[in-house]
Amino acid sequence: MSGAVHPAGAARGGAVRGAWLVFAVGAVAYVVTVLNRTSLAAAGIDASERFAVGAGTIGAFAVLQFLVYAALQVPVGVLMDRWGPRRLVVAGAVLMAAGQFLLAVSTDVPHALLARVLVGAGDAATFVSVLRVVTNWFPPQRVPVMTQLVGFFGQFGQVLSVVPLVALLHGAGWTPAYLAVASFSALAAVLCVLVLRDAPPGAPLARSVVPLRRVAGDLRETLRQPGTRLGLWSHWATPFSGNAFATLWGYPFLVSGQQLSTAGASALLTLYTVAAAVSGPVIGTLVARHPLRRSWLVLTVVAGQAVLWALVVALPGPAPLALLALLVVVVAVGVPGSMIGFDFARTSNPAHRLGGATGLTNVMGFTASLLLVLGIGLALDVQGAGTPETYRLDAFRWAFALQFPLWAVGVAGILVSRRRTRALLATQGVVVPRVRDAVRRDLAARRARAGR
């Protein structure tokens, strides 16, 4: 599926000088952001013991972080359109450093919740801003792949949260571990100040200087684009399973539910990170080569996740390790798969509305994620399995079954918005061929190239 409008991006034949250095610093900023976002992924049991709380409260830590993230997406998008992305990336790193410092020294729940608010706010400002930097520095035909490369490198933040951070937690202790995360965040802020730039020298910046009272009107216009709504629902349906698994509930599910060792659970979470990183460039390449088939990629990702989770929750006992590994891989693909939603937003809106469109898209995935994270915690509590001592597999099965209604809503939204997007494209003379016809055309083109 292609959108209706192609914004003015980096209209160059290739990346300009210095683009890769800027990209590298932006990628480092996102690595640190993912480390901050997932820093409770393998520390849920430690946090439960440190703050003497159950699963519902631990889930509230992640939910509050997601809620702040989602609530700030539209304001961040609007501010990015007005101020540029560099300032927001720096501000995000500073906020995350402050949040992790507070978490490092906290021993009570209110201060810990405030710490996660700061982390969520900093996280909210970073990702969409790095994506805008990429859009400004690279030509449009390379943006889908470059966007996936941002996600590829960002997954190393997940590795940092499940390997060295866990080692620090179990060695030096809680405070040194989270002080280390705060230090990395401060270092990222310094690097962004020194190197990151909004756009290449001399390039025009698509800044929106409209009064704030017109912002609501621009957002309404953005939402009227069916391609934007297709991006919203694509981002709703794809990432929540992986976000809930990697951010909080995957480690307890694997250790306490599936009876894996801590080393085995950490290995599967590392596999999750590798799968997300490796699949990202593949999805980016497919999106760039087949822009009229992006929605089919999204639906394929969702179907794979739903089938694997159905198999795992239907088993009467612990799942075989091979099935758990396959589940982790398929769930991980949802993270780069969710990037397709941003591509719909990018190709469906002019440049001066791109920040708001990206923010609206990002809201959807994290809204679904926070609903699932909160729902799992509450479902465990209701079943009397709300503490590490009482976690059990049957309770986790019912809790993770909450994913299926979320997928149903997302798929319905995708199908409806896709039909309306295709109708709009038809009025512009763009006809989306049937899958069968497109496959035949591609095969014929390959045969023709081979016969040259």
Side-chain angles (χ1 to χ4, degrees):
M1 297 297 302
S2 176
V5 182
H6 293 271
R12 298 171 291 280
V16 299
R17 183 178 181 180
W20 285 102
L21 177 60
V22 170
F23 171 84
V25 172
V28 167
Y30 188 52
V31 168
V32 174
T33 299
V34 174
L35 168 61
N36 278 273
R37 181 189 301 167
T38 61
S39 58
L40 284 178
I45 296 175
D46 298 83
S48 181
E49 294 172 351
R50 180 177 178 87
F51 300 107
V53 293
T57 303
I58 294 299
F61 287 177
V63 166
L64 185 59
Q65 179 182 329
F66 281 142
L67 184 61
V68 171
Y69 183 103
L72 289 180
Q73 282 307 295
V74 173
V76 163
V78 172
L79 289 175
M80 185 166 55
D81 286 338
R82 296 172 67 89
W83 295 347
R86 174 174 175 260
R87 295 180 183 178
L88 293 177
V89 176
V90 173
V94 171
L95 285 171
M96 287 184 288
Q100 297 292 18
F101 176 83
L102 179 58
L103 187 65
V105 299
S106 296
T107 56
D108 59 89
V109 171
H111 285 98
L113 289 174
L114 176 59
R116 300 316 288 177
V117 167
L118 292 173
V119 170
D123 188 0
T126 304
F127 177 60
V128 293
S129 301
V130 172
L131 290 188
R132 174 63 71 87
V133 171
V134 169
T135 300
N136 290 345
W137 279 83
F138 289 88
Q141 67 270 21
R142 295 180 65 179
V143 169
V145 175
M146 299 309 299
T147 297
Q148 292 291 350
L149 282 177
V150 173
F152 172 87
F153 289 109
Q155 293 306 314
F156 288 102
Q158 174 77 26
V159 174
L160 294 175
S161 70
V162 298
V163 182
L165 181 58
V166 170
L168 277 174
L169 276 170
H170 296 162
W174 181 278
T175 297
Y178 283 98
L179 285 178
V181 179
S183 299
F184 276 117
S185 303
L187 177 61
V190 172
L191 284 175
C192 291
V193 169
L194 294 176
V195 179
L196 205 63
R197 295 295 181 267
D198 289 337
L205 293 177
R207 294 277 181 87
S208 174
V209 294
V210 299
L212 289 177
R213 62 178 178 273
R214 289 179 52 189
V215 169
D218 284 345
L219 292 176
R220 285 195 296 270
E221 186 61 31
T222 298
L223 283 172
R224 288 193 185 102
Q225 292 290 335
T228 301
R229 297 196 296 273
L230 182 53
L232 298 182
W233 287 115
S234 297
H235 201 262
W236 168 284
T238 44
F240 63 77
S241 185
N243 283 339
F245 193 88
T247 303
L248 187 61
W249 293 119
Y251 191 85
F253 169 72
L254 294 173
V255 173
S256 300
Q258 295 291 335
Q259 302 300 311
L260 296 184
S261 65
T262 56
S266 294
L268 284 181
L269 287 174
T270 302
L271 175 63
Y272 171 97
T273 302
V274 173
V278 171
S279 61
V282 175
I283 290 178
T285 301
L286 290 173
V287 168
R289 291 181 179 178
H290 305 284
L292 296 178
R293 298 298 166 197
R294 290 175 289 180
S295 61
W296 280 109
L297 282 174
V298 172
L299 292 171
T300 300
V301 169
V302 172
Q305 292 178 338
V307 168
L308 265 296
W309 270 114
L311 290 174
V312 170
V313 300
L315 290 175
L321 183 60
L323 180 58
L324 291 175
L326 183 59
L327 170 71
V328 165
V329 169
V330 172
V331 167
V333 175
V335 177
S338 71
M339 301 286 193
I340 300 173
F342 295 113
D343 204 60
F344 282 124
R346 178 181 65 85
T347 56
S348 300
N349 291 277
H352 71 275
R353 291 207 310 263
L354 189 54
T358 303
L360 287 169
T361 302
N362 216 14
V363 165
M364 293 294 280
F366 281 87
T367 298
S369 297
L370 74 88
L371 289 174
L372 181 59
V373 169
L374 179 61
I376 290 173
L378 293 177
L380 292 174
D381 279 342
V382 167
Q383 298 175 85
T387 63
E389 296 78 15
T390 59
Y391 287 157
R392 60 182 190 273
L393 182 56
D394 65 314
F396 274 117
R397 285 200 199 94
W398 286 106
F400 277 103
L402 295 175
Q403 296 175 103
F404 294 97
L406 295 176
W407 279 316
V409 170
V411 169
I414 290 169
L415 295 177
V416 170
S417 54
R418 182 176 70 173
R419 184 176 67 250
R420 293 174 179 172
T421 301
R422 288 179 173 178
L424 176 61
L425 290 173
T427 66
Q428 300 169 348
V430 179
V431 178
V432 180
R434 293 180 299 177
V435 174
R436 180 177 59 187
D437 296 336
V439 171
R440 288 175 177 173
R441 183 186 62 190
D442 290 344
L443 289 174
R446 290 178 183 177
R447 293 191 189 101
R449 287 195 298 269
R452 289 177 183 175

